Amino acid sequence: MSRQWRDVRASTLRTEDEGKEIAVAGWVARRRDHGGLVFVDLRDEGGVLQLVINPANAADAAGVAHELRNEFVIRANGVVARRTPETVNPAMATGEIELQVTDLEIVSRATPLPFQLDEEGVDETLRLRYRWLDLRREKMQRNIRMRAKLISIIRAEMEADGFVDIETPIMAKPTPEGARDFLVPTRLQPGRFFALPQSPQIYKQLLVISGFERYYQIARCFRDEDLRADRLQELTQLDVEIAFPDREYLFALIERTFARIWRELRGVEVETPFPRLTWEEADLRYGSDKPDLRFGLEIEDATDVTRGSQFQVFDKAAAVRFLRVPGELSRAELAKLEEVAKQWGAKGLAYLVYREDGEVASPIAKFLGEGELARFRSDPGTTVLFGVDEPAMVSRVLGALRLHLGRELGLIDAEAQKFLWVTDFPMFEWDAELERWDAVHHPFTRPTDESRALLDTDPGAAKAVAYDLVANGIEIAGGSFRIHEADLQTKVFDLLKISPEEQRVKFGFLLDALAMGAPPHGGIASGMERVLMALLDEPYIRELVAFPKNQAGVDPMSGAPTRVEPAQLRELGLEVKVEDDLSDEGSK
């Protein structure tokens, strides 16, 4: 017969439980000795309860209490009592009561800890090495539990609209999706490889072609790419696909879902429908396809005004745009901003400083005509910063400066929740190094009806039926309508310099499916970790995953990835040619 460790979770006890004799269990969050009395904060998954051990009433328990250290697992019996008014702790849900312990047992001891749960500034590698300990911290408990609630809401909304949850293969065929594939060798077919899916893109199209008109999945995706603060190699996404797509229906579905998420998990009502900007508008006004609308500081264009300028840098530039920065920036501040601009590719940073007395301070002011100065005229105590180059470079530099200044000058309203649809993305972008077109979203994205003729004459001007959802400057969803005609899909593959032979080898099954009665279809995908970044104002995506890899793609806890025994490699028909110098972290 199994033992009953506790009657209730300690964190659920309240004043109405006063006088009850109860058994509780959990972790020692803190122990305090006050003269003869010992106070222990007992933590379980719901919070903390104060235990009081009085040696006058429970001598044996007091002896055990003196042995306790943080993160010991204990079991205690006792009577629930009200705290005296002066000892009530309003910051705790259990702050009006305590458990007066009669019996105390150490269930499990803890070795000396590599860090304390309330310790600040712990090195990330150390936290990941002891992730089971790190996950006990209040913030990590909140993040992982919030993730579960988020997915529960999404499932409820999808199923309420008749979407069917269908799993797709984890071991699939390598296909170009934008990042490198993780490859999986197989013993049964030596020398051949599966790939872990970067997304279920082709499978979800095939499911809709198969007659499942409303598909969804909470899908695991894998991308062998360099890690950053907002990027993972293993991620989870909501994947949605519908037949006979209606963009307004799809937008309304996603807006309703995210409005509920923000309402229930953040306690904020967000206004729907969300505003929309075309990709071109977002690029011109914010220098970004995922603009943060929690502050202004919009980019303004002056290319027409500067044609014929005596300042030759302006006159010869393909694009001249500028930001009006609130503040009379010093030379030192301007020098720092120039360094930021150069990091993003700028050759320099031209400026005008409008002093409080109305005078203009700038080495370029004397070269500017009346029309130009009138266009740039700003309030006293304002600095105008210029981006001058090819349009794409100007957007990149001023977009980065805008975000930098928003953070540095405290312009971002941290309480605001700003959503935005960005629509009408370019269909293709030119890869100068490879001298060919690349798909901006993916090769299966549909061109707008107006753009189909441009595929033959000017692919760079073609627009796609593609859209992203942005929240507080973070892209949290993206999707498109798909190509459902085999001949149009072949034409796009041709533009991307995928040969007919390669098309058959890599995508023959998709082309065959498109030729056998494929309905119009489209959808959207939303990365759960990115959503949580926006929802929780969390800048580091690894804080939202239970067991992430570090920036080197290594798991410091288990030591993965590790070397494989030669016998297993031989069985797979593999031979390792390059040895790394990484030690197996898990053996430490």
Side-chain angles (χ1 to χ4, degrees):
M1 183 175 177
S2 63
R3 181 177 181 183
Q4 182 173 331
W5 290 103
R6 59 188 180 185
D7 299 322
V8 295
R9 285 188 298 170
S11 55
T12 64
L13 295 171
R14 297 294 185 268
T15 53
E16 54 266 30
D17 297 305
E18 182 183 5
K20 292 180 180 177
E21 186 172 349
I22 282 182
V24 294
W27 286 265
V28 174
R30 187 182 178 199
R31 189 200 74 184
R32 307 179 303 282
D33 291 347
H34 288 186
L37 296 178
V38 178
F39 295 88
V40 175
D41 290 342
L42 179 75
R43 186 187 71 246
D44 60 26
E45 68 173 359
V48 172
L49 173 69
Q50 179 173 278
L51 311 184
V52 182
I53 302 99
N54 187 338
N57 303 326
D60 291 344
V64 174
H66 286 294
E67 296 183 50
L68 300 183
R69 299 290 182 270
N70 286 2
E71 300 311 305
F72 276 31
V73 178
I74 61 173
R75 180 178 185 272
N77 278 84
V79 177
V80 178
R82 282 183 182 266
R83 295 195 194 188
T84 58
E86 65 273 13
T87 61
V88 167
N89 185 348
M92 294 170 55
T94 60
E96 295 183 83
I97 58 169
E98 59 193 18
L99 188 74
Q100 296 180 348
V101 175
T102 55
D103 296 289
L104 184 64
E105 173 188 355
I106 296 175
V107 176
S108 178
R109 296 175 182 269
T111 58
L113 303 177
F115 56 85
Q116 297 298 320
L117 270 60
D118 58 357
E119 186 177 345
E120 297 292 336
V122 180
D123 178 71
E124 184 188 47
T125 299
L126 186 64
R127 290 177 51 213
L128 293 179
R129 170 67 180 85
Y130 298 96
R131 190 62 163 182
W132 60 85
L133 183 64
D134 189 48
L135 285 170
R136 295 178 194 172
R137 293 189 304 124
E138 183 178 356
K139 175 186 172 182
M140 294 306 302
Q141 288 277 317
R142 178 204 66 175
N143 288 357
I144 302 305
R145 293 179 191 282
M146 190 73 79
R147 182 188 179 107
K149 292 176 182 177
L150 166 73
I151 290 174
S152 178
I153 290 172
I154 287 172
R155 287 192 182 281
E157 289 296 323
M158 291 298 111
E159 289 167 15
D161 261 47
F163 285 81
V164 180
D165 181 4
I166 307 176
E167 292 184 344
T168 52
I170 289 296
M171 294 195 298
K173 186 174 185 177
T175 57
E177 294 272 2
R180 295 183 184 88
D181 287 322
F182 280 105
L183 298 178
V184 181
T186 170
R187 178 182 57 82
L188 297 178
Q189 289 85 31
R192 300 195 177 200
F193 296 84
F194 292 105
L196 302 181
Q198 295 183 34
S199 81
Q201 179 61 48
I202 293 179
Y203 286 111
K204 66 183 177 185
Q205 291 187 241
L206 293 173
L207 283 168
V208 174
I209 294 170
S210 302
F212 296 97
E213 295 188 17
R214 292 190 177 186
Y215 144 93
Y216 93 100
Q217 182 183 182
I218 305 297
R220 294 289 284 165
C221 304
F222 307 86
R223 296 166 190 176
D224 187 4
E225 56 188 0
D226 295 336
L227 300 180
R228 296 200 298 257
D230 64 345
R231 182 177 289 178
L232 295 167
Q233 291 181 328
E234 301 173 66
L235 56 141
T236 304
Q237 72 179 30
L238 164 66
D239 209 46
V240 176
E241 195 80 3
I242 54 178
F244 309 105
D246 177 338
R247 196 180 76 168
E248 295 307 311
Y249 163 74
L250 183 62
F251 280 18
L253 170 68
I254 297 301
E255 288 173 355
R256 186 186 77 218
T257 301
F258 281 104
R260 179 177 170 186
I261 289 167
W262 255 252
R263 180 187 313 117
E264 294 187 14
L265 302 186
R266 178 142 183 164
V268 172
E269 286 290 343
V270 295
E271 185 177 345
T272 59
F274 299 153
R276 304 178 188 183
L277 284 177
T278 65
W279 176 87
E280 286 184 352
E281 290 173 318
D283 182 68
L284 279 169
R285 292 170 58 182
Y286 301 100
S288 173
D289 58 6
K290 47 180 182 296
D292 190 338
L293 302 187
R294 293 176 297 172
F295 67 108
L297 208 62
E298 289 192 25
I299 298 169
E300 301 178 56
D301 187 80
T303 307
D304 291 342
V305 175
T306 56
R307 292 290 75 100
S309 175
Q310 293 183 30
F311 185 44
Q312 291 193 359
V313 173
F314 281 7
D315 179 43
K316 295 180 178 180
V320 179
R321 300 175 193 163
F322 63 97
L323 290 168
R324 301 181 198 265
V325 182
E328 185 179 324
L329 300 181
S330 67
R331 287 187 179 181
E333 290 171 323
L334 287 164
K336 290 180 180 179
L337 288 176
E338 184 172 29
E339 288 305 310
V340 173
K342 286 181 177 179
Q343 289 172 12
W344 290 93
K347 299 179 181 70
L349 185 65
Y351 62 87
L352 297 171
V353 178
Y354 290 89
R355 294 175 175 165
E356 292 292 349
D357 60 11
E359 291 298 315
V360 180
S362 170
I364 71 168
K366 60 186 177 183
F367 299 108
L368 302 179
E370 290 185 7
E372 292 170 288
L373 288 172
R375 178 72 179 91
F376 306 139
R377 177 68 58 189
S378 301
D379 294 335
T382 299
T383 301
V384 177
L385 302 177
F386 294 96
V388 186
D389 208 309
E390 294 298 319
M393 179 61 73
V394 171
S395 291
R396 181 180 176 184
V397 171
L398 288 185
L401 280 175
R402 176 180 178 269
L403 286 174
H404 176 82
L405 289 163
R407 292 188 294 264
E408 292 295 309
L409 300 179
L411 303 178
I412 299 173
D413 180 358
E415 296 303 314
Q417 302 296 315
K418 295 293 185 179
F419 289 79
L420 171 73
W421 287 106
V422 179
T423 65
D424 304 304
F425 278 77
M427 183 88 176
F428 304 105
E429 57 188 354
W430 182 251
D431 187 323
E433 185 177 341
L434 297 177
E435 296 187 341
R436 64 173 174 80
W437 293 107
D438 279 339
V440 170
H441 268 59
H442 51 62
F444 320 108
T445 302
R446 185 172 195 79
T448 63
D449 291 342
E450 300 79 10
S451 294
R452 288 189 64 166
L454 295 173
L455 300 184
D456 295 316
T457 59
D458 188 7
K463 301 294 183 187
V465 188
Y467 33 82
D468 283 354
L469 180 59
V470 180
N472 302 335
I474 299 171
E475 178 197 328
I476 62 171
S480 67
F481 286 9
R482 326 301 184 187
I483 297 168
H484 66 271
E485 307 95 329
D487 58 343
L488 180 56
Q489 184 66 77
T490 298
K491 179 189 285 283
V492 170
F493 285 155
D494 290 341
L495 271 171
L496 299 175
K497 297 292 180 69
I498 302 174
S499 69
E501 295 77 19
E502 192 178 2
Q503 290 177 36
R504 288 308 308 176
V505 169
K506 290 186 173 180
F507 305 108
F509 64 103
L510 174 63
L511 293 171
D512 290 344
L514 294 176
M516 296 184 187
H521 56 284
I524 196 166
S526 176
M528 297 295 92
E529 294 85 7
R530 291 281 185 89
V531 173
L532 285 163
M533 288 180 76
L535 182 69
L536 299 173
D537 296 323
E538 173 54 63
Y540 300 109
I541 200 166
R542 290 188 293 278
E543 296 292 274
L544 305 165
V545 179
F547 298 102
K549 310 297 185 290
N550 64 15
Q551 282 190 299
V554 172
D555 176 7
M557 181 183 70
S558 69
T562 60
R563 296 183 179 88
V564 175
E565 292 296 326
Q568 188 174 0
L569 290 173
R570 286 194 298 272
E571 194 174 36
L572 294 168
L574 299 177
E575 181 180 354
V576 175
K577 293 288 189 182
V578 179
E579 287 290 338
D580 62 58
D581 59 1
L582 292 175
S583 62
D584 288 342
E585 293 285 344
S587 65
K588 291 184 178 178

